[in-house]
PDB file of all heavy atoms in Angstrom:
ATOM      1  N   ARG A  22     103.893 106.118 117.481  1.00  0.00           N
ATOM      2  CA  ARG A  22     104.846 106.190 118.563  1.00  0.00           C
ATOM      3  C   ARG A  22     106.286 105.714 118.107  1.00  0.00           C
ATOM      4  O   ARG A  22     107.221 105.729 118.899  1.00  0.00           O
ATOM      5  CB  ARG A  22     104.426 105.234 119.724  1.00  0.00           C
ATOM      6  CG  ARG A  22     103.165 105.793 120.457  1.00  0.00           C
ATOM      7  CD  ARG A  22     102.910 105.129 121.769  1.00  0.00           C
ATOM      8  NE  ARG A  22     101.768 105.644 122.441  1.00  0.00           N
ATOM      9  CZ  ARG A  22     101.683 106.789 123.066  1.00  0.00           C
ATOM     10  NH1 ARG A  22     102.829 107.542 123.222  1.00  0.00           N
ATOM     11  NH2 ARG A  22     100.659 107.222 123.626  1.00  0.00           N
ATOM     12  N   ALA A  23     106.436 105.323 116.866  1.00  0.00           N
ATOM     13  CA  ALA A  23     107.685 104.957 116.332  1.00  0.00           C
ATOM     14  C   ALA A  23     108.511 106.128 115.778  1.00  0.00           C
ATOM     15  O   ALA A  23     107.854 107.074 115.145  1.00  0.00           O
ATOM     16  CB  ALA A  23     107.642 103.880 115.317  1.00  0.00           C
ATOM     17  N   PRO A  24     109.828 106.174 115.941  1.00  0.00           N
ATOM     18  CA  PRO A  24     110.651 107.271 115.402  1.00  0.00           C
ATOM     19  C   PRO A  24     110.735 107.292 113.943  1.00  0.00           C
ATOM     20  O   PRO A  24     110.299 106.319 113.218  1.00  0.00           O
ATOM     21  CB  PRO A  24     111.967 107.032 116.116  1.00  0.00           C
ATOM     22  CG  PRO A  24     112.006 105.594 116.435  1.00  0.00           C
ATOM     23  CD  PRO A  24     110.638 105.197 116.643  1.00  0.00           C
ATOM     24  N   ALA A  25     111.272 108.332 113.304  1.00  0.00           N
ATOM     25  CA  ALA A  25     111.308 108.477 111.936  1.00  0.00           C
ATOM     26  C   ALA A  25     112.012 107.380 111.190  1.00  0.00           C
ATOM     27  O   ALA A  25     111.605 107.060 110.059  1.00  0.00           O
ATOM     28  CB  ALA A  25     112.018 109.841 111.538  1.00  0.00           C
ATOM     29  N   LYS A  26     113.157 106.865 111.665  1.00  0.00           N
ATOM     30  CA  LYS A  26     113.844 105.786 111.057  1.00  0.00           C
ATOM     31  C   LYS A  26     112.950 104.546 110.807  1.00  0.00           C
ATOM     32  O   LYS A  26     113.046 103.852 109.763  1.00  0.00           O
ATOM     33  CB  LYS A  26     115.131 105.420 111.738  1.00  0.00           C
ATOM     34  CG  LYS A  26     116.318 106.420 111.579  1.00  0.00           C
ATOM     35  CD  LYS A  26     117.463 105.964 112.279  1.00  0.00           C
ATOM     36  CE  LYS A  26     118.667 107.040 112.005  1.00  0.00           C
ATOM     37  NZ  LYS A  26     119.901 106.503 112.667  1.00  0.00           N
ATOM     38  N   VAL A  27     112.223 104.187 111.838  1.00  0.00           N
ATOM     39  CA  VAL A  27     111.300 103.060 111.742  1.00  0.00           C
ATOM     40  C   VAL A  27     110.224 103.372 110.718  1.00  0.00           C
ATOM     41  O   VAL A  27     109.855 102.439 109.967  1.00  0.00           O
ATOM     42  CB  VAL A  27     110.811 102.759 113.177  1.00  0.00           C
ATOM     43  CG1 VAL A  27     109.761 101.540 113.064  1.00  0.00           C
ATOM     44  CG2 VAL A  27     111.871 102.303 114.094  1.00  0.00           C
ATOM     45  N   GLN A  28     109.688 104.518 110.735  1.00  0.00           N
ATOM     46  CA  GLN A  28     108.579 104.855 109.879  1.00  0.00           C
ATOM     47  C   GLN A  28     109.063 104.848 108.416  1.00  0.00           C
ATOM     48  O   GLN A  28     108.465 104.383 107.560  1.00  0.00           O
ATOM     49  CB  GLN A  28     108.003 106.205 110.159  1.00  0.00           C
ATOM     50  CG  GLN A  28     107.252 106.281 111.473  1.00  0.00           C
ATOM     51  CD  GLN A  28     106.731 107.641 111.758  1.00  0.00           C
ATOM     52  OE1 GLN A  28     106.901 108.599 111.019  1.00  0.00           O
ATOM     53  NE2 GLN A  28     106.066 107.741 112.890  1.00  0.00           N
ATOM     54  N   SER A  29     110.410 105.213 108.112  1.00  0.00           N
ATOM     55  CA  SER A  29     110.886 105.110 106.823  1.00  0.00           C
ATOM     56  C   SER A  29     111.063 103.725 106.368  1.00  0.00           C
ATOM     57  O   SER A  29     110.724 103.325 105.239  1.00  0.00           O
ATOM     58  CB  SER A  29     112.358 105.808 106.872  1.00  0.00           C
ATOM     59  OG  SER A  29     112.965 105.665 105.589  1.00  0.00           O
ATOM     60  N   ALA A  30     111.520 102.869 107.264  1.00  0.00           N
ATOM     61  CA  ALA A  30     111.514 101.440 106.848  1.00  0.00           C
ATOM     62  C   ALA A  30     110.229 100.799 106.602  1.00  0.00           C
ATOM     63  O   ALA A  30     110.106 100.002 105.616  1.00  0.00           O
ATOM     64  CB  ALA A  30     112.303 100.634 108.074  1.00  0.00           C
ATOM     65  N   LEU A  31     109.241 101.176 107.390  1.00  0.00           N
ATOM     66  CA  LEU A  31     107.934 100.708 107.067  1.00  0.00           C
ATOM     67  C   LEU A  31     107.304 101.340 105.748  1.00  0.00           C
ATOM     68  O   LEU A  31     106.628 100.548 105.048  1.00  0.00           O
ATOM     69  CB  LEU A  31     106.968 101.098 108.237  1.00  0.00           C
ATOM     70  CG  LEU A  31     105.540 100.595 108.199  1.00  0.00           C
ATOM     71  CD1 LEU A  31     105.438  99.100 108.111  1.00  0.00           C
ATOM     72  CD2 LEU A  31     104.705 101.215 109.276  1.00  0.00           C
ATOM     73  N   LEU A  32     107.787 102.472 105.514  1.00  0.00           N
ATOM     74  CA  LEU A  32     107.288 103.076 104.210  1.00  0.00           C
ATOM     75  C   LEU A  32     107.794 102.327 102.996  1.00  0.00           C
ATOM     76  O   LEU A  32     107.045 102.106 102.028  1.00  0.00           O
ATOM     77  CB  LEU A  32     107.702 104.591 104.206  1.00  0.00           C
ATOM     78  CG  LEU A  32     107.405 105.359 102.981  1.00  0.00           C
ATOM     79  CD1 LEU A  32     105.929 105.461 102.797  1.00  0.00           C
ATOM     80  CD2 LEU A  32     108.049 106.715 103.021  1.00  0.00           C
ATOM     81  N   GLU A  33     109.099 101.962 103.091  1.00  0.00           N
ATOM     82  CA  GLU A  33     109.551 101.112 101.942  1.00  0.00           C
ATOM     83  C   GLU A  33     108.817  99.801 101.828  1.00  0.00           C
ATOM     84  O   GLU A  33     108.475  99.452 100.659  1.00  0.00           O
ATOM     85  CB  GLU A  33     111.057 100.822 102.247  1.00  0.00           C
ATOM     86  CG  GLU A  33     111.707  99.949 101.061  1.00  0.00           C
ATOM     87  CD  GLU A  33     113.025  99.435 101.396  1.00  0.00           C
ATOM     88  OE1 GLU A  33     113.519  99.624 102.554  1.00  0.00           O
ATOM     89  OE2 GLU A  33     113.638  98.802 100.577  1.00  0.00           O
ATOM     90  N   ALA A  34     108.552  99.219 102.842  1.00  0.00           N
ATOM     91  CA  ALA A  34     107.817  97.954 102.911  1.00  0.00           C
ATOM     92  C   ALA A  34     106.406  98.210 102.302  1.00  0.00           C
ATOM     93  O   ALA A  34     105.911  97.322 101.473  1.00  0.00           O
ATOM     94  CB  ALA A  34     107.720  97.283 104.230  1.00  0.00           C
ATOM     95  N   MET A  35     105.688  99.171 102.709  1.00  0.00           N
ATOM     96  CA  MET A  35     104.364  99.479 102.234  1.00  0.00           C
ATOM     97  C   MET A  35     104.249  99.830 100.769  1.00  0.00           C
ATOM     98  O   MET A  35     103.424  99.350 100.080  1.00  0.00           O
ATOM     99  CB  MET A  35     103.724 100.572 103.101  1.00  0.00           C
ATOM    100  CG  MET A  35     103.490 100.335 104.560  1.00  0.00           C
ATOM    101  SD  MET A  35     102.996 101.707 105.549  1.00  0.00           S
ATOM    102  CE  MET A  35     101.490 102.208 104.696  1.00  0.00           C
ATOM    103  N   GLN A  36     105.239 100.617 100.300  1.00  0.00           N
ATOM    104  CA  GLN A  36     105.241 101.020  98.928  1.00  0.00           C
ATOM    105  C   GLN A  36     105.824  99.991  98.062  1.00  0.00           C
ATOM    106  O   GLN A  36     105.207  99.698  96.904  1.00  0.00           O
ATOM    107  CB  GLN A  36     106.027 102.321  98.772  1.00  0.00           C
ATOM    108  CG  GLN A  36     106.105 102.839  97.355  1.00  0.00           C
ATOM    109  CD  GLN A  36     104.800 103.195  96.766  1.00  0.00           C
ATOM    110  OE1 GLN A  36     103.770 103.452  97.542  1.00  0.00           O
ATOM    111  NE2 GLN A  36     104.674 103.342  95.466  1.00  0.00           N
ATOM    112  N   GLU A  37     106.983  99.467  98.262  1.00  0.00           N
ATOM    113  CA  GLU A  37     107.640  98.535  97.337  1.00  0.00           C
ATOM    114  C   GLU A  37     107.404  97.100  97.668  1.00  0.00           C
ATOM    115  O   GLU A  37     107.625  96.278  96.797  1.00  0.00           O
ATOM    116  CB  GLU A  37     109.241  98.730  97.569  1.00  0.00           C
ATOM    117  CG  GLU A  37     109.746 100.201  97.418  1.00  0.00           C
ATOM    118  CD  GLU A  37     109.468 100.763  96.001  1.00  0.00           C
ATOM    119  OE1 GLU A  37     109.379  99.820  95.059  1.00  0.00           O
ATOM    120  OE2 GLU A  37     109.385 101.924  95.786  1.00  0.00           O
ATOM    121  N   ARG A  38     106.775  96.767  98.746  1.00  0.00           N
ATOM    122  CA  ARG A  38     106.430  95.369  99.154  1.00  0.00           C
ATOM    123  C   ARG A  38     107.745  94.520  99.136  1.00  0.00           C
ATOM    124  O   ARG A  38     107.699  93.390  98.789  1.00  0.00           O
ATOM    125  CB  ARG A  38     105.346  94.790  98.266  1.00  0.00           C
ATOM    126  CG  ARG A  38     104.018  95.649  98.372  1.00  0.00           C
ATOM    127  CD  ARG A  38     102.932  95.029  97.592  1.00  0.00           C
ATOM    128  NE  ARG A  38     101.797  95.976  97.634  1.00  0.00           N
ATOM    129  CZ  ARG A  38     100.837  95.933  98.531  1.00  0.00           C
ATOM    130  NH1 ARG A  38     100.933  95.090  99.549  1.00  0.00           N
ATOM    131  NH2 ARG A  38      99.824  96.782  98.570  1.00  0.00           N
ATOM    132  N   ARG A  39     108.778  95.179  99.635  1.00  0.00           N
ATOM    133  CA  ARG A  39     110.028  94.432  99.834  1.00  0.00           C
ATOM    134  C   ARG A  39     110.808  95.215 100.771  1.00  0.00           C
ATOM    135  O   ARG A  39     110.586  96.462 101.022  1.00  0.00           O
ATOM    136  CB  ARG A  39     110.790  94.342  98.473  1.00  0.00           C
ATOM    137  CG  ARG A  39     111.138  95.655  97.849  1.00  0.00           C
ATOM    138  CD  ARG A  39     111.647  95.491  96.500  1.00  0.00           C
ATOM    139  NE  ARG A  39     111.971  96.787  95.797  1.00  0.00           N
ATOM    140  CZ  ARG A  39     112.253  96.910  94.585  1.00  0.00           C
ATOM    141  NH1 ARG A  39     112.269  95.825  93.745  1.00  0.00           N
ATOM    142  NH2 ARG A  39     112.578  98.128  94.037  1.00  0.00           N
ATOM    143  N   VAL A  40     111.810  94.571 101.437  1.00  0.00           N
ATOM    144  CA  VAL A  40     112.660  95.252 102.395  1.00  0.00           C
ATOM    145  C   VAL A  40     114.115  94.905 102.060  1.00  0.00           C
ATOM    146  O   VAL A  40     114.421  93.883 101.519  1.00  0.00           O
ATOM    147  CB  VAL A  40     112.344  94.880 103.864  1.00  0.00           C
ATOM    148  CG1 VAL A  40     110.914  95.251 104.223  1.00  0.00           C
ATOM    149  CG2 VAL A  40     112.482  93.415 104.045  1.00  0.00           C
ATOM    150  N   THR A  41     114.984  95.702 102.591  1.00  0.00           N
ATOM    151  CA  THR A  41     116.443  95.521 102.478  1.00  0.00           C
ATOM    152  C   THR A  41     117.089  95.242 103.750  1.00  0.00           C
ATOM    153  O   THR A  41     116.970  96.001 104.762  1.00  0.00           O
ATOM    154  CB  THR A  41     117.094  96.765 101.869  1.00  0.00           C
ATOM    155  OG1 THR A  41     116.448  97.081 100.571  1.00  0.00           O
ATOM    156  CG2 THR A  41     118.655  96.605 101.575  1.00  0.00           C
ATOM    157  N   ILE A  42     117.814  94.093 103.782  1.00  0.00           N
ATOM    158  CA  ILE A  42     118.599  93.689 104.964  1.00  0.00           C
ATOM    159  C   ILE A  42     119.999  93.543 104.519  1.00  0.00           C
ATOM    160  O   ILE A  42     120.371  92.680 103.664  1.00  0.00           O
ATOM    161  CB  ILE A  42     118.034  92.321 105.560  1.00  0.00           C
ATOM    162  CG1 ILE A  42     116.569  92.432 105.926  1.00  0.00           C
ATOM    163  CG2 ILE A  42     118.897  91.875 106.759  1.00  0.00           C
ATOM    164  CD1 ILE A  42     115.981  91.141 106.467  1.00  0.00           C
ATOM    165  N   GLY A  43     120.891  94.371 105.046  1.00  0.00           N
ATOM    166  CA  GLY A  43     122.228  94.384 104.517  1.00  0.00           C
ATOM    167  C   GLY A  43     122.362  94.899 103.017  1.00  0.00           C
ATOM    168  O   GLY A  43     121.816  95.979 102.706  1.00  0.00           O
ATOM    169  N   ASP A  44     122.905  94.044 102.254  1.00  0.00           N
ATOM    170  CA  ASP A  44     122.981  94.370 100.846  1.00  0.00           C
ATOM    171  C   ASP A  44     121.900  93.671  99.995  1.00  0.00           C
ATOM    172  O   ASP A  44     121.877  93.749  98.747  1.00  0.00           O
ATOM    173  CB  ASP A  44     124.401  94.031 100.274  1.00  0.00           C
ATOM    174  CG  ASP A  44     125.519  94.907 100.873  1.00  0.00           C
ATOM    175  OD1 ASP A  44     125.141  96.017 101.384  1.00  0.00           O
ATOM    176  OD2 ASP A  44     126.614  94.354 101.063  1.00  0.00           O
ATOM    177  N   GLU A  45     121.108  92.842 100.606  1.00  0.00           N
ATOM    178  CA  GLU A  45     120.159  92.097  99.917  1.00  0.00           C
ATOM    179  C   GLU A  45     118.726  92.621 100.129  1.00  0.00           C
ATOM    180  O   GLU A  45     118.387  93.129 101.110  1.00  0.00           O
ATOM    181  CB  GLU A  45     120.140  90.587 100.417  1.00  0.00           C
ATOM    182  CG  GLU A  45     121.428  89.889 100.221  1.00  0.00           C
ATOM    183  CD  GLU A  45     121.689  89.640  98.660  1.00  0.00           C
ATOM    184  OE1 GLU A  45     120.776  89.511  97.951  1.00  0.00           O
ATOM    185  OE2 GLU A  45     122.893  89.609  98.312  1.00  0.00           O
ATOM    186  N   THR A  46     117.918  92.487  99.027  1.00  0.00           N
ATOM    187  CA  THR A  46     116.516  92.884  99.077  1.00  0.00           C
ATOM    188  C   THR A  46     115.640  91.675  98.978  1.00  0.00           C
ATOM    189  O   THR A  46     115.823  90.764  98.154  1.00  0.00           O
ATOM    190  CB  THR A  46     116.193  93.806  97.829  1.00  0.00           C
ATOM    191  OG1 THR A  46     117.053  94.973  97.915  1.00  0.00           O
ATOM    192  CG2 THR A  46     114.758  94.293  97.884  1.00  0.00           C
ATOM    193  N   TYR A  47     114.655  91.612  99.899  1.00  0.00           N
ATOM    194  CA  TYR A  47     113.810  90.484  99.980  1.00  0.00           C
ATOM    195  C   TYR A  47     112.341  90.857  99.698  1.00  0.00           C
ATOM    196  O   TYR A  47     111.814  91.906 100.281  1.00  0.00           O
ATOM    197  CB  TYR A  47     113.855  89.841 101.383  1.00  0.00           C
ATOM    198  CG  TYR A  47     115.284  89.424 101.789  1.00  0.00           C
ATOM    199  CD1 TYR A  47     116.187  90.287 102.231  1.00  0.00           C
ATOM    200  CD2 TYR A  47     115.723  88.097 101.478  1.00  0.00           C
ATOM    201  CE1 TYR A  47     117.455  89.804 102.672  1.00  0.00           C
ATOM    202  CE2 TYR A  47     116.970  87.649 101.846  1.00  0.00           C
ATOM    203  CZ  TYR A  47     117.848  88.513 102.391  1.00  0.00           C
ATOM    204  OH  TYR A  47     119.189  88.149 102.750  1.00  0.00           O
ATOM    205  N   ALA A  48     111.665  90.103  98.898  1.00  0.00           N
ATOM    206  CA  ALA A  48     110.229  90.308  98.603  1.00  0.00           C
ATOM    207  C   ALA A  48     109.433  89.912  99.874  1.00  0.00           C
ATOM    208  O   ALA A  48     109.684  88.857 100.504  1.00  0.00           O
ATOM    209  CB  ALA A  48     109.846  89.558  97.379  1.00  0.00           C
ATOM    210  N   LEU A  49     108.385  90.641 100.084  1.00  0.00           N
ATOM    211  CA  LEU A  49     107.428  90.285 101.190  1.00  0.00           C
ATOM    212  C   LEU A  49     106.361  89.264 100.653  1.00  0.00           C
ATOM    213  O   LEU A  49     106.082  89.236  99.415  1.00  0.00           O
ATOM    214  CB  LEU A  49     106.749  91.605 101.655  1.00  0.00           C
ATOM    215  CG  LEU A  49     107.760  92.513 102.395  1.00  0.00           C
ATOM    216  CD1 LEU A  49     107.045  93.820 102.602  1.00  0.00           C
ATOM    217  CD2 LEU A  49     108.218  91.911 103.679  1.00  0.00           C
ATOM    218  N   PRO A  50     105.660  88.629 101.581  1.00  0.00           N
ATOM    219  CA  PRO A  50     104.654  87.655 101.160  1.00  0.00           C
ATOM    220  C   PRO A  50     103.559  88.323 100.309  1.00  0.00           C
ATOM    221  O   PRO A  50     103.257  89.454 100.433  1.00  0.00           O
ATOM    222  CB  PRO A  50     104.152  87.032 102.440  1.00  0.00           C
ATOM    223  CG  PRO A  50     105.163  87.336 103.439  1.00  0.00           C
ATOM    224  CD  PRO A  50     105.758  88.676 103.013  1.00  0.00           C
ATOM    225  N   ASP A  51     102.907  87.483  99.497  1.00  0.00           N
ATOM    226  CA  ASP A  51     101.667  87.925  98.757  1.00  0.00           C
ATOM    227  C   ASP A  51     100.515  87.108  99.180  1.00  0.00           C
ATOM    228  O   ASP A  51     100.592  85.851  99.083  1.00  0.00           O
ATOM    229  CB  ASP A  51     101.905  87.777  97.293  1.00  0.00           C
ATOM    230  CG  ASP A  51     100.833  88.444  96.526  1.00  0.00           C
ATOM    231  OD1 ASP A  51     100.141  89.353  96.912  1.00  0.00           O
ATOM    232  OD2 ASP A  51     100.567  87.861  95.359  1.00  0.00           O
ATOM    233  N   PRO A  52      99.420  87.708  99.794  1.00  0.00           N
ATOM    234  CA  PRO A  52      99.277  89.174  99.932  1.00  0.00           C
ATOM    235  C   PRO A  52      99.945  89.661 101.116  1.00  0.00           C
ATOM    236  O   PRO A  52     100.358  88.939 102.092  1.00  0.00           O
ATOM    237  CB  PRO A  52      97.716  89.132 100.218  1.00  0.00           C
ATOM    238  CG  PRO A  52      97.414  87.850 100.854  1.00  0.00           C
ATOM    239  CD  PRO A  52      98.350  86.864 100.206  1.00  0.00           C
ATOM    240  N   PHE A  53     100.305  91.052 101.021  1.00  0.00           N
ATOM    241  CA  PHE A  53     100.891  91.702 102.260  1.00  0.00           C
ATOM    242  C   PHE A  53     100.102  93.031 102.468  1.00  0.00           C
ATOM    243  O   PHE A  53      99.773  93.703 101.629  1.00  0.00           O
ATOM    244  CB  PHE A  53     102.296  92.091 101.816  1.00  0.00           C
ATOM    245  CG  PHE A  53     102.977  92.990 102.857  1.00  0.00           C
ATOM    246  CD1 PHE A  53     103.410  92.661 104.032  1.00  0.00           C
ATOM    247  CD2 PHE A  53     103.198  94.407 102.526  1.00  0.00           C
ATOM    248  CE1 PHE A  53     103.961  93.447 105.013  1.00  0.00           C
ATOM    249  CE2 PHE A  53     103.780  95.191 103.431  1.00  0.00           C
ATOM    250  CZ  PHE A  53     104.174  94.800 104.653  1.00  0.00           C
ATOM    251  N   LEU A  54      99.749  93.088 103.778  1.00  0.00           N
ATOM    252  CA  LEU A  54      98.854  94.204 104.159  1.00  0.00           C
ATOM    253  C   LEU A  54      99.286  94.747 105.566  1.00  0.00           C
ATOM    254  O   LEU A  54      99.512  93.885 106.505  1.00  0.00           O
ATOM    255  CB  LEU A  54      97.396  93.642 104.279  1.00  0.00           C
ATOM    256  CG  LEU A  54      96.334  94.653 104.203  1.00  0.00           C
ATOM    257  CD1 LEU A  54      96.268  95.481 102.921  1.00  0.00           C
ATOM    258  CD2 LEU A  54      94.959  94.057 104.417  1.00  0.00           C
ATOM    259  N   VAL A  55      99.415  96.083 105.630  1.00  0.00           N
ATOM    260  CA  VAL A  55      99.754  96.669 106.846  1.00  0.00           C
ATOM    261  C   VAL A  55      98.457  97.226 107.433  1.00  0.00           C
ATOM    262  O   VAL A  55      97.715  98.099 106.778  1.00  0.00           O
ATOM    263  CB  VAL A  55     100.816  97.796 106.742  1.00  0.00           C
ATOM    264  CG1 VAL A  55     100.883  98.609 108.043  1.00  0.00           C
ATOM    265  CG2 VAL A  55     102.202  97.237 106.339  1.00  0.00           C
ATOM    266  N   LEU A  56      98.087  96.859 108.590  1.00  0.00           N
ATOM    267  CA  LEU A  56      96.915  97.447 109.284  1.00  0.00           C
ATOM    268  C   LEU A  56      97.385  98.082 110.534  1.00  0.00           C
ATOM    269  O   LEU A  56      97.871  97.508 111.496  1.00  0.00           O
ATOM    270  CB  LEU A  56      95.938  96.248 109.631  1.00  0.00           C
ATOM    271  CG  LEU A  56      95.563  95.299 108.486  1.00  0.00           C
ATOM    272  CD1 LEU A  56      94.807  94.109 109.059  1.00  0.00           C
ATOM    273  CD2 LEU A  56      94.745  96.055 107.488  1.00  0.00           C
ATOM    274  N   ALA A  57      97.331  99.421 110.418  1.00  0.00           N
ATOM    275  CA  ALA A  57      97.939 100.216 111.563  1.00  0.00           C
ATOM    276  C   ALA A  57      96.849 100.851 112.419  1.00  0.00           C
ATOM    277  O   ALA A  57      95.737 101.213 111.941  1.00  0.00           O
ATOM    278  CB  ALA A  57      98.835 101.335 110.962  1.00  0.00           C
ATOM    279  N   THR A  58      97.135 101.128 113.688  1.00  0.00           N
ATOM    280  CA  THR A  58      96.236 101.877 114.676  1.00  0.00           C
ATOM    281  C   THR A  58      97.040 103.015 115.210  1.00  0.00           C
ATOM    282  O   THR A  58      98.292 103.023 115.364  1.00  0.00           O
ATOM    283  CB  THR A  58      95.762 100.918 115.743  1.00  0.00           C
ATOM    284  OG1 THR A  58      96.877 100.660 116.608  1.00  0.00           O
ATOM    285  CG2 THR A  58      95.214  99.570 115.267  1.00  0.00           C
ATOM    286  N   GLN A  59      96.253 104.000 115.522  1.00  0.00           N
ATOM    287  CA  GLN A  59      96.905 105.132 116.241  1.00  0.00           C
ATOM    288  C   GLN A  59      95.839 105.796 117.063  1.00  0.00           C
ATOM    289  O   GLN A  59      94.637 105.769 116.785  1.00  0.00           O
ATOM    290  CB  GLN A  59      97.532 106.171 115.233  1.00  0.00           C
ATOM    291  CG  GLN A  59      96.514 107.012 114.386  1.00  0.00           C
ATOM    292  CD  GLN A  59      97.313 108.009 113.578  1.00  0.00           C
ATOM    293  OE1 GLN A  59      98.550 108.136 113.606  1.00  0.00           O
ATOM    294  NE2 GLN A  59      96.581 108.855 112.819  1.00  0.00           N
ATOM    295  N   ASN A  60      96.301 106.402 118.095  1.00  0.00           N
ATOM    296  CA  ASN A  60      95.439 107.066 119.065  1.00  0.00           C
ATOM    297  C   ASN A  60      95.395 108.568 118.810  1.00  0.00           C
ATOM    298  O   ASN A  60      96.460 109.213 118.821  1.00  0.00           O
ATOM    299  CB  ASN A  60      96.057 106.792 120.526  1.00  0.00           C
ATOM    300  CG  ASN A  60      95.121 107.328 121.612  1.00  0.00           C
ATOM    301  OD1 ASN A  60      94.230 108.018 121.360  1.00  0.00           O
ATOM    302  ND2 ASN A  60      95.372 106.863 122.865  1.00  0.00           N
ATOM    303  N   PRO A  61      94.190 109.190 118.644  1.00  0.00           N
ATOM    304  CA  PRO A  61      94.147 110.620 118.306  1.00  0.00           C
ATOM    305  C   PRO A  61      94.399 111.584 119.499  1.00  0.00           C
ATOM    306  O   PRO A  61      94.506 112.757 119.305  1.00  0.00           O
ATOM    307  CB  PRO A  61      92.740 110.774 117.791  1.00  0.00           C
ATOM    308  CG  PRO A  61      91.968 109.733 118.501  1.00  0.00           C
ATOM    309  CD  PRO A  61      92.902 108.580 118.666  1.00  0.00           C
ATOM    310  N   ILE A  62      94.457 110.959 120.707  1.00  0.00           N
ATOM    311  CA  ILE A  62      94.760 111.776 121.924  1.00  0.00           C
ATOM    312  C   ILE A  62      96.082 111.391 122.491  1.00  0.00           C
ATOM    313  O   ILE A  62      96.660 110.520 121.956  1.00  0.00           O
ATOM    314  CB  ILE A  62      93.600 111.537 123.021  1.00  0.00           C
ATOM    315  CG1 ILE A  62      93.578 110.039 123.382  1.00  0.00           C
ATOM    316  CG2 ILE A  62      92.280 111.973 122.413  1.00  0.00           C
ATOM    317  CD1 ILE A  62      92.571 109.835 124.453  1.00  0.00           C
ATOM    318  N   GLU A  63      96.475 112.098 123.457  1.00  0.00           N
ATOM    319  CA  GLU A  63      97.758 111.916 124.130  1.00  0.00           C
ATOM    320  C   GLU A  63      98.929 111.920 123.085  1.00  0.00           C
ATOM    321  O   GLU A  63      99.567 110.985 122.779  1.00  0.00           O
ATOM    322  CB  GLU A  63      97.797 110.559 124.905  1.00  0.00           C
ATOM    323  CG  GLU A  63      96.818 110.467 125.976  1.00  0.00           C
ATOM    324  CD  GLU A  63      96.861 109.177 126.725  1.00  0.00           C
ATOM    325  OE1 GLU A  63      97.557 108.189 126.221  1.00  0.00           O
ATOM    326  OE2 GLU A  63      96.206 109.082 127.695  1.00  0.00           O
TER     327      GLU A  63
END
């Protein structure tokens, strides 16, 4: 249900395990795990 820009930000976090805020890049905690749900209907 999230738009493309949000999915792109999540993709960076999932792949690189870090995110960028402004000009700085911050490492995510270790371990880091995304557990996502989606509904196949509607």
Side-chain angles (χ1 to χ4, degrees):
R22 294 196 178 276
K26 285 186 177 181
V27 177
Q28 293 180 0
S29 177
L31 182 62
L32 180 63
E33 179 192 5
M35 293 171 60
Q36 178 65 18
E37 306 296 335
R38 300 184 184 271
R39 59 189 181 191
V40 297
T41 302
I42 304 176
D44 295 329
E45 297 291 331
T46 299
Y47 300 88
L49 293 169
D51 185 28
F53 170 73
L54 198 64
V55 173
L56 307 172
T58 69
Q59 70 175 4
N60 186 347
I62 59 177
E63 297 180 351

